[in-house]
Amino acid sequence: MESDTEPSTPVSTLEATPETEYENRIANLEAAPTQSTTEYFSWQQLADISERLTGLGEQYGALTTVCTGDYVALGTERGSVVVTDYLGRVKMALGSAASAAYGAVSALAFSADHMVLVAGYAQGFVVVWDWAKGTTAAVSRPRQASDSPDAAGHPAGTAITCVGFIGASRHRYISGSGGGLVLYHHIVRRLLTTMSTQPLASDGGVLFEAAALARGTHACVTDDLGLVAILTDSSITIVKTRHGVEQQYRAGFQTAEGTRRRTVARRPYAGNVAWQSAQRIERPATTPAESDAMLPKLAYSWGAHIHILAVHLDYNVSGNGTALGSAAPRVQFERETEWTAIEDVVFCRWIDPTTLLYMTQSQRVFVFETQFAQETEISTAPPARIVGRAWVTLTTGTEAEPSYAAAMCVHRRRLFAHCGSALYVGRLLMWAERLELLATQGQLVDAIALATGFYQARTGQIVVGLPRVQRAGDAGQLRRQALVGGRLADLMRRALQSTLAADRTPRATDAEVRALATVCVQA
C-alpha cells in the first residue's frame, strides 16, 4: 500500500464546468416518450449517454460499472473511469499506463459532494480520484504473497466488490473484496500526505456487501461515528470507524421471524445492505433533540429475507439524568421490520426514508413501505436484461448470485440501470400520472376506482405524491381529499360523457354501463 499525490496521465481532459441542478438536467428526458411503463413505474433511456457507449467502449473498453450522482461515472474493462454529465458530454476520462494493470473497474462510488471518486479494480487495487483535476489522491495496492503478514491491502488478484465514502468525507472510505476482507482507509493530509489502512472484517466467509453511512439532510450523533455495515453469508456487523474501530452490532443469519408467507430452506447466497441516512422531516416537535428528524435505518437481505434495523438514541446514559442533559446519547440498533420476498433479493436500496426498492433474481422490481409493511410490484422486467457481475463466484469459487451493485444505483428517488447496451432511469409514477395513464388507455372505470381508493386512502399499494393518512379525519386525509376530489369528479364526467354519448360507435353495452354506474356510486 502506498499513497500517490502526483497527477496521473488522463486519457482525455475536458474542463469541468458548473452544472445546473440535477433535476433540471434530466427533466427533458422524462418529458420524452417512455420506453416502458407499468401502472406504477416508468423506464426512460438516457439516450444522450447511451448513444455514446459504443464509441466509449471502443476507446476505453466495455462498460463494467456505473455510478450516478450529479454526474455519471462509467468504469470499463480496461481500467478507465469516464465521467460524463447527463447530456453525455465527457468531463474527464481517468486512466494511465499504470492503471491499465489494475484490471477492470469493479466498483465505483462518488463522495458526498460528487467531486471525488473511489474506484475498486479486479486485481485488488483501490484508487481515489480527484476527477475534476484528473489526479489520484491515494492508491491502495494489493498485498502480494511475498509481503509480510501484517501488510495492508486486499489479496492480489481479488476483485474489489464494494467501495464507499464515509459520511461527508473525501478522505475516509472503505473497500471490500469477495473473500470477506473489508478495509477502512484514511488519507491524512499534513506536510506529507499519508494513508492509513485498517481491516474491519476478515472472517474468511463470503462478503456480500459493505456500506458506509452517508451524511443526511439532518445532523445526527451517528455522523461522528463513521458507521459501516458489513454483510457476509453468516452475519451482519456494524462497526464505528471514528476515534477507533469498535463493533456496535452483530447478528447471525436467520430467517425473518413472524413472516412465514414465503420461505427458502437453503443457506443464502445472495445478500445486500443499504443505509438510509438521517433526514429532516416536517412534523411537530414532540421528542427532544431528534424530533424534527428521521434517524438512520439499515436494510439488509439474506436470500429472500429482508431485515430493517432502526437507530434509536438512549439519553439515559451515565452522567445524563434527563433527555436534555449534556452527555451524548448512546446509539442502539433495534429490529424494526422483517419481510420475505417472493424469491432471492439481488439488489436493494432506499428511495426515501420509509420506502425500500429491491429487485429479485428474475429481475422483478418491488417497493416495500416499511411504515405499513406493504409490498408493491412496480416492474415485472427492465427494458433489457441487466447483467450482473459474478465477482464473488470468481473470487471464492462459491456459487452465488451475481452482484448488481455495479450495474444499478439509486440517486434522488430514481433507479439507474445498465440494461443491455444502454443506460436507463426509472422512477415511480405520481398518483396523478397513474390516473391519467389509465384514462389515456381508455380504462376510465379503473381510473375512477383507483381515484376513489386514493380519496379514501384504501389502495393497498404504494402511492406517490399524496399526504399520508395516520387516522380518519386527520390533516393528511383532508389534504388528500382536497387534492384528489377534483380529479375524481373530472374522471367521472369524462367517463359518463364517453359512455353515454349518443354518437358513440359501438354503443356501450349494458355491462359497461352497470360497471360505470357502480364505480360512480361508490365514488
Side-chain angles (χ1 to χ4, degrees), residues 60-65 74-81 99-108 119-126 158-161 389 391:
Y60 304 113
L63 184 63
T64 58
T65 311
L74 308 171
T76 76
E77 65 180 2
R78 298 180 195 164
S80 295
V81 179
S99 63
Y102 297 171
V105 180
S106 52
L108 276 173
Y121 295 82
Q123 294 301 313
F125 289 81
V126 182
T158 302
I160 306 302
T161 57
R389 301 290 174 179
W391 297 122

Side-chain angles (χ1 to χ4, degrees), residues 435-436 438-440 444 448 487-500 516:
L435 294 179
E436 189 59 33
L438 289 172
T440 302
L444 287 167
I448 293 170
R487 187 64 60 91
L488 177 55
D490 178 63
L491 287 170
M492 287 191 290
R493 281 194 296 269
R494 290 165 61 182
L496 289 169
Q497 291 170 359
S498 172
T499 303
L500 304 179
L516 176 59

Side-chain angles (χ1 to χ4, degrees), residues 75-95:
T76 76
E77 65 180 2
R78 298 180 195 164
S80 295
V81 179
V82 182
V83 182
T84 77
D85 62 17
Y86 284 86
L87 297 177
R89 298 174 298 189
V90 175
K91 295 300 180 182
M92 183 66 72
L94 305 165

Side-chain angles (χ1 to χ4, degrees), residues 338-355:
E338 297 175 342
W339 188 254
T340 306
I342 196 169
E343 55 189 354
D344 281 0
V345 174
V346 295
F347 176 84
C348 74
R349 293 293 185 268
W350 294 92
I351 57 175
D352 67 37
T354 61
T355 308

Side-chain angles (χ1 to χ4, degrees), residues 307-454:
H307 305 260
I308 311 293
L309 289 180
V311 169
H312 290 276
L313 302 181
D314 179 10
Y315 288 88
N316 293 317
V317 297
S318 178
N320 191 18
T322 69
L324 299 179
S326 58
R330 181 185 295 111
V331 175
Q332 298 178 331
F333 298 89
E334 298 181 7
R335 292 185 179 273
E336 179 180 271
T337 308
E338 297 175 342
W339 188 254
T340 306
I342 196 169
E343 55 189 354
D344 281 0
V345 174
V346 295
F347 176 84
C348 74
R349 293 293 185 268
W350 294 92
I351 57 175
D352 67 37
T354 61
T355 308
L356 184 72
L357 179 146
Y358 64 88
M359 185 176 78
T360 65
Q361 61 190 136
S362 62
Q363 303 202 352
R364 297 164 65 181
V365 182
F366 297 79
V367 288
F368 178 68
E369 297 177 274
T370 61
Q371 188 175 8
F372 306 108
Q374 178 174 281
E375 176 191 69
T376 304
E377 183 172 7
I378 59 174
S379 177
T380 56
R385 189 74 179 173
I386 302 173
V387 179
R389 301 290 174 179
W391 297 122
V392 170
T393 300
L394 293 173
T395 300
T396 66
T398 300
E399 185 176 353
E401 290 290 339
S403 170
Y404 291 87
M408 304 173 68
C409 48
V410 171
H411 182 59
R412 296 188 183 176
R413 296 182 60 90
R414 292 177 177 88
L415 173 65
F416 294 84
H418 179 207
C419 304
S421 59
L423 291 182
Y424 286 82
V425 57
R427 66 182 179 90
L428 287 167
L429 295 177
M430 302 289 286
W431 69 273
E433 291 177 302
R434 291 174 56 186
L435 294 179
E436 189 59 33
L437 177 64
L438 289 172
T440 302
Q441 295 172 344
Q443 302 177 49
L444 287 167
V445 171
D446 291 338
I448 293 170
L450 182 60
T452 303
F454 289 163

